[in-house]
Amino acid sequence: MASPSPSPSPSPDSRRRKDAQSAAFGALPEEANHYAQLRHFGFVWSAGIVAFALITWACIALGIDESAAKCIYLTAIVFLSLIDSFVSSVVFCVIAVFCLDYFFGQPPFTLRVPSAGHLPDLLTFLAASLVITALVRHTHKLGRAQREQASLLDLTHDTIVVRDTGGAITYWNRGAQRLYGWEKDEVLGKPLHELLKTHFPVQLQQIVDTLGATGHWEGELVCTTRDGAERVIASRWSLQRGADGEPVATLESGTDITDRKRAEDALRRSEATYLAEAQKLSATGSFGWDIESGRVFWSEQSFRIFGYETDIEPTLDRVIQRIHPDDINFVHDLVEHASSGRHSLDFEHRLLMPDGTTKYLHVVAHAIEADRLRYAGAIMDITAARQTELRLQDAQAELARITRLTMLGELSASIAHEVGQPLSATVTSAEASLRWLDRDPPRLDEVKSGLTRIISEAQRSFQIVRRVRTLAQKNPVQKAAIDVNEIVNESVALIQREIFRHRVPLQLKLAHDLPLVFADRIQLQQVVINLAMNGIQALDGMIDRPRELSIETRTGPARDDPVVIAVKDNGAGISRENEARLFEAFFTTKPQGTGIGLSICRSIIEAHHGTIRASNNDGYGATFECALPRASADSVDEFSRAGSPA
Ligand code: ADP
């Protein structure tokens, strides 16, 4: 018969490994463990035997009967079983049965079982003591597990508090103790939220409803600690229900987020500071406007722009108070327009500040919500830019005047001739009239017609002088509804002599019934003279073909077709490389040229909301065309609202 194979005993190697692992985890090596266990059993059992010996001696000495001794033994077994394992409990139960039989059974000091009834008695005691011991040990274990679990809750930094349905605290972990400052014993049974003076983010009833409906609630609470400090708590509530489904308690766990909140607030404040600084730098304020409630919000910079202290309540009326009287109707219309529906707004207006200064504002805004009419927008203080623009316009006007003076200098021979011609005609007529007077009888009819000629010639030279004077004068821009044909005629009168001198046959093709344009007479004259003089110069020295120069005025049939002035010559035309640079200031191809004529023409035409362009003709030469909008009620209104741009 084959001998049974011995159970595989762990090899020395694997045992060493296990021991090393145990040591690594702070445990004793296996052998040392067995030894320690044996020592423990030896100690507990010896203590048990000593305890039973003492109990037995005391019971005999005191003459206690078997039933009372059973109770005392059972109590000792229960106590001893609590300090060690189930095996020890069994051992103690057996020792107790032995003692009962030996010392208290009849006859005493024998292990014989005297009567049949005594054996079941002992067995019942044995069974009962084993069951009771097991139960006590189980309960003890449960209690210990509970205590361990509870101590786990103490490890967390969060606060964990349980309160019953009446709000009284039934559990208070160490985290709560640390944060709020009260010991567990001090708070048990007290109403939680009264104790912490809790501020809820919404109505408490709302939280209770959510908790009842979903079993959970989360939110931020502000609680007051024992030393009166307020802490912000991220709180999570869970409802505990009993077997019948009814709520029995609420567990509230919380995290102290006060520092995080402070950091966030600080960040938000610093972001707001950056924003305010940026708004200050860019002179741009922001605003919000709730049409329904009429409430208005201004950023710090907006207060500054409107010139109010930041502690006043911003209102639309306060804005209106600052609007420039000339812009008030326009702004009222805009407010009405914005209130009537969702619009995007982009407009400029002026403020008249209490110190009498004028501010120019550019406002952009748009409606921000679908269900409620609210506007968010930005207010840019463009005063500096506007003033620079105005100064630039002044400088441009001055430059235009100087150019006109230069032009007049160039035209001086022609002007002298223009003025000289009627003067010599006047002298001739006066001499003739004198001669007619010397006749006998004097020919008064001839004298009369001579005097009439003198008056008309004098008026002609007076008109030329007046035109030259207005052209040379430093007049502010005076826009009015004017006829461009008149402008062309007046301009041609001034350059008549040049036309003659350069032997250029000028053709005027002026359209009848031209609509008026809203323009400054002198400035438009300057444009026409500039273009015509350029045309004359373009024909200079041309001998291979007859010279042609024409000035044409026209418009289209549509109501918004512009009025066009076209100056056309049949000179050399514009070379491709110069095409893009013609209107640049100081661009010239002429040896004596200044290069500012066309750039002045362009700024004048653009200031009249018109366009100017140059193109080569199909045949020879070039055409310069200025297109000006027709005068309308709108253009007149806009002019009067904007004041007089230079
Ligand atoms: P300037 O006459 O002093 O040169 P302008 O600004 O009036 O200054 O003209 C700029 C340039 O445009 C001229 O030098 C010339 O080259 C070109 N130019 C102007 N008018 C004509 C034209 N009718 N035909 C061809 N070139 C022209």
Side-chain angles (χ1 to χ4, degrees):
M1 215 169 96
S3 62
S5 62
S7 64
S9 61
S11 70
D13 265 4
S14 73
R15 197 182 298 144
R16 261 200 303 279
R17 243 192 338 266
K18 259 187 169 176
D19 289 350
Q21 279 173 1
S22 314
F25 289 99
L28 293 168
E30 208 171 276
E31 267 173 28
N33 219 352
H34 285 314
Y35 181 68
Q37 245 175 358
L38 280 177
R39 257 207 332 211
H40 175 72
F41 277 134
F43 171 75
V44 173
W45 291 351
S46 311
I49 288 165
V50 171
F52 279 112
L54 286 173
I55 291 168
T56 308
W57 174 78
C59 288
I60 293 169
L62 294 171
I64 286 171
D65 68 359
E66 188 183 355
S67 318
K70 274 183 187 164
C71 290
I72 296 169
Y73 280 126
L74 189 58
T75 312
I77 290 166
V78 168
F79 272 116
L80 287 168
S81 67
L82 285 180
I83 58 169
D84 201 50
S85 64
F86 183 67
V87 179
S88 301
S89 307
V90 174
V91 170
F92 293 136
C93 288
V94 171
I95 293 173
V97 169
F98 169 80
C99 291
L100 282 171
D101 188 35
Y102 189 80
F103 295 109
F104 298 96
Q106 292 301 328
F109 307 113
T110 61
L111 284 174
R112 269 191 299 141
V113 180
S115 61
H118 197 230
L119 183 63
D121 218 22
L122 286 178
L123 288 177
T124 308
F125 174 79
L126 179 66
S129 56
L130 281 173
V131 169
I132 291 170
T133 321
L135 278 176
V136 168
R137 281 177 53 76
H138 182 68
T139 317
H140 182 66
K141 229 161 127 183
L142 278 182
R144 203 170 56 203
Q146 252 180 3
R147 275 195 303 282
E148 275 169 8
Q149 278 171 2
S151 71
L152 280 181
L153 293 181
D154 281 334
L155 290 179
T156 172
H157 292 286
D158 285 350
T159 62
I160 297 174
V161 180
V162 180
R163 57 180 173 84
D164 61 20
T165 44
I169 301 167
T170 55
Y171 180 77
W172 182 261
N173 81 333
R174 259 214 207 117
Q177 196 172 307
R178 266 193 304 265
L179 179 66
Y180 298 125
W182 284 282
E183 297 289 326
K184 187 183 206 163
D185 298 342
E186 294 174 286
V187 296
L188 288 182
K190 291 200 175 147
L192 173 64
H193 292 297
E194 266 114 273
L195 178 77
L196 299 178
K197 299 184 191 124
T198 310
H199 293 296
F200 298 97
V202 290
Q203 292 280 314
L204 182 58
Q205 191 52 48
Q206 209 174 318
I207 299 177
V208 172
D209 291 347
T210 311
L211 192 66
T214 64
H216 298 281
W217 178 82
E218 275 191 42
E220 283 179 17
L221 308 177
V222 179
C223 299
T224 306
T225 64
R226 187 175 204 162
D227 55 14
E230 286 197 336
R231 312 293 301 181
V232 185
I233 310 293
S235 188
R236 298 164 294 280
W237 294 15
S238 304
L239 192 64
Q240 191 193 358
R241 293 185 189 274
D244 55 358
E246 284 302 306
V248 287
T250 305
L251 183 141
E252 293 184 20
S253 63
T255 311
D256 181 9
I257 54 166
T258 316
D259 294 340
R260 199 181 79 199
K261 277 266 160 201
R262 275 191 200 135
E264 279 172 9
D265 280 355
L267 185 68
R268 219 171 292 131
R269 268 200 304 276
S270 67
E271 272 172 6
T273 314
Y274 288 140
L275 189 66
E277 276 306 309
Q279 289 203 350
K280 204 168 162 186
L281 273 176
S282 62
T284 305
S286 50
F287 70 91
W289 177 30
D290 187 330
I291 302 284
E292 271 164 47
S293 67
R295 288 201 56 188
V296 173
F297 157 84
W298 288 343
S299 71
E300 225 175 89
Q301 185 58 23
S302 299
F303 279 95
R304 231 170 273 142
I305 290 174
F306 288 117
Y308 286 114
E309 294 295 327
T310 46
D311 53 359
I312 61 129
E313 166 110 357
T315 61
L316 194 60
D317 278 347
R318 291 193 202 275
V319 179
I320 300 287
Q321 273 172 33
R322 292 279 193 261
I323 304 287
H324 195 287
D326 291 346
D327 293 353
I328 199 91
N329 290 338
F330 163 68
V331 174
H332 269 305
D333 289 352
L334 264 165
V335 168
E336 255 176 48
H337 174 66
S339 314
S340 68
R342 302 167 54 75
H343 302 285
S344 285
L345 309 175
D346 187 339
F347 59 95
E348 286 183 19
H349 69 88
R350 287 167 298 170
L351 301 182
L352 184 61
M353 304 306 283
D355 62 2
T357 56
T358 302
K359 275 188 184 179
Y360 292 80
L361 302 189
H362 182 185
V363 182
V364 281
H366 70 145
I368 47 170
E369 273 172 30
D371 52 333
R372 192 184 165 99
L373 191 50
R374 288 210 297 173
Y375 281 90
I379 312 163
M380 283 158 269
D381 184 347
I382 52 166
T383 311
R386 262 289 167 278
Q387 279 169 351
T388 313
E389 215 171 274
L390 289 177
R391 276 198 293 272
L392 186 68
Q393 280 171 0
D394 280 349
Q396 264 181 347
E398 186 58 18
L399 186 63
R401 194 177 74 89
I402 291 166
T403 322
R404 285 201 299 272
L405 287 178
T406 318
M407 204 169 71
L408 286 175
E410 283 169 15
L411 294 177
S412 57
S414 309
I415 293 165
H417 179 81
E418 283 300 302
V419 180
Q421 234 182 7
L423 278 181
S424 62
T426 308
V427 172
T428 313
S429 297
E431 283 169 356
S433 300
L434 279 178
R435 278 197 301 276
W436 289 119
L437 270 179
D438 285 345
R439 290 267 181 106
D440 193 19
R443 293 280 305 272
L444 289 181
D445 53 335
E446 291 293 346
V447 174
K448 193 178 172 193
S449 64
L451 286 176
T452 312
R453 268 200 311 279
I454 289 173
I455 291 171
S456 98
E457 289 302 327
Q459 271 172 346
R460 210 177 112 202
S461 35
F462 174 68
Q463 263 179 10
I464 293 166
V465 170
R466 193 171 53 89
R467 273 182 209 138
V468 171
R469 227 190 31 220
T470 41
L471 212 52
Q473 258 170 5
K474 184 180 183 174
N475 282 332
V477 176
Q478 283 177 346
K479 283 189 179 176
I482 49 173
D483 178 359
V484 291
N485 287 345
E486 269 178 34
I487 302 288
V488 172
N489 282 324
E490 284 165 3
S491 310
V492 169
L494 280 172
I495 54 168
Q496 197 61 59
R497 171 81 185 154
E498 291 299 304
I499 293 168
F500 178 74
R501 201 159 62 90
H502 289 86
R503 294 186 302 283
V504 174
L506 173 68
Q507 247 194 309
L508 291 184
K509 302 175 189 169
L510 307 182
H512 295 293
D513 302 325
L514 263 190
L516 303 180
V517 296
F518 192 66
D520 178 272
R521 179 174 292 272
I522 303 294
Q523 288 194 337
L524 273 201
Q525 274 182 20
Q526 181 171 0
V527 172
V528 175
I529 294 173
N530 259 325
L531 297 181
M533 287 297 287
N534 275 347
I536 293 168
Q537 284 163 5
L539 297 174
D540 244 3
M542 200 182 84
I543 46 166
D544 57 334
R545 56 183 177 274
R547 299 170 183 192
E548 286 168 19
L549 178 68
S550 66
I551 303 179
E552 183 190 339
T553 57
R554 60 168 195 272
T555 188
R559 282 169 66 99
D560 54 354
D561 277 335
V563 177
V564 177
I565 307 168
V567 181
K568 183 176 175 184
D569 64 69
N570 69 338
I574 305 151
S575 68
R576 184 158 288 204
E577 73 258 30
N578 294 343
E579 212 175 292
R581 306 188 54 205
L582 286 189
F583 295 95
E584 273 178 24
F586 308 114
F587 171 75
T588 181
T589 54
K590 301 171 193 165
Q592 307 300 321
T594 58
I596 47 174
L598 286 181
S599 88
I600 295 273
C601 288
R602 186 171 64 173
S603 36
I604 290 174
I605 295 297
E606 285 177 355
H608 285 79
H609 307 295
T611 53
I612 182 168
R613 66 190 186 98
S615 57
N616 278 323
N617 302 329
D618 283 344
Y620 295 107
T623 301
F624 285 75
E625 279 187 353
C626 309
L628 291 163
R630 299 175 180 204
S632 64
D634 279 358
S635 57
V636 180
D637 275 0
E638 188 197 327
F639 175 73
S640 42
R641 197 174 60 238
S644 63

XYZ file of all heavy atoms in Angstrom, residues 113 115-124:
78
model
N -21.515 11.080 37.206
C -22.793 11.766 37.028
C -23.824 11.011 37.870
O -24.136 9.837 37.584
C -23.211 11.776 35.546
C -24.526 12.483 35.366
C -22.134 12.410 34.693
N -27.196 11.336 38.847
C -28.552 10.993 38.396
C -28.665 11.300 36.916
O -27.908 12.109 36.358
C -29.575 11.845 39.169
O -29.325 13.211 38.894
N -29.657 10.621 36.323
C -29.839 10.829 34.878
C -30.226 12.280 34.582
O -29.883 12.833 33.551
C -30.922 9.886 34.368
N -30.929 12.938 35.509
C -31.380 14.332 35.299
C -30.247 15.334 35.355
O -30.321 16.404 34.750
N -29.156 14.991 36.051
C -28.076 15.963 36.216
C -27.263 16.177 34.936
O -26.779 17.277 34.659
C -27.164 15.518 37.369
C -26.299 16.635 37.856
N -24.964 16.506 38.020
C -26.602 17.925 38.189
C -24.457 17.654 38.425
N -25.463 18.535 38.554
N -27.161 15.091 34.126
C -26.370 15.197 32.878
C -26.989 16.209 31.893
O -26.307 17.136 31.430
C -26.225 13.812 32.233
C -25.358 13.775 30.972
C -23.911 14.185 31.281
C -25.381 12.387 30.345
N -28.323 16.066 31.613
C -28.900 17.082 30.716
C -28.770 18.504 31.290
O -28.598 19.473 30.548
C -30.377 16.691 30.624
C -30.475 15.316 31.134
C -29.284 15.005 31.979
N -28.817 18.540 32.621
C -28.654 19.831 33.287
C -27.317 20.481 32.912
O -27.243 21.655 32.513
C -28.673 19.541 34.808
C -29.411 20.647 35.527
O -30.207 21.335 34.854
O -29.148 20.859 36.732
N -26.258 19.638 33.009
C -24.911 20.144 32.684
C -24.779 20.483 31.203
O -24.206 21.502 30.815
C -23.848 19.100 33.072
C -23.579 18.943 34.565
C -22.559 17.855 34.817
C -23.051 20.262 35.128
N -25.394 19.577 30.382
C -25.299 19.820 28.924
C -26.049 21.110 28.543
O -25.607 21.894 27.703
C -25.858 18.628 28.150
C -24.983 17.364 28.188
C -25.636 16.207 27.450
C -23.611 17.645 27.575
N -27.204 21.313 29.195
C -27.982 22.539 28.930
C -27.145 23.766 29.297
O -27.078 24.762 28.562
C -29.280 22.548 29.761
O -29.946 21.332 29.526
C -30.168 23.726 29.410
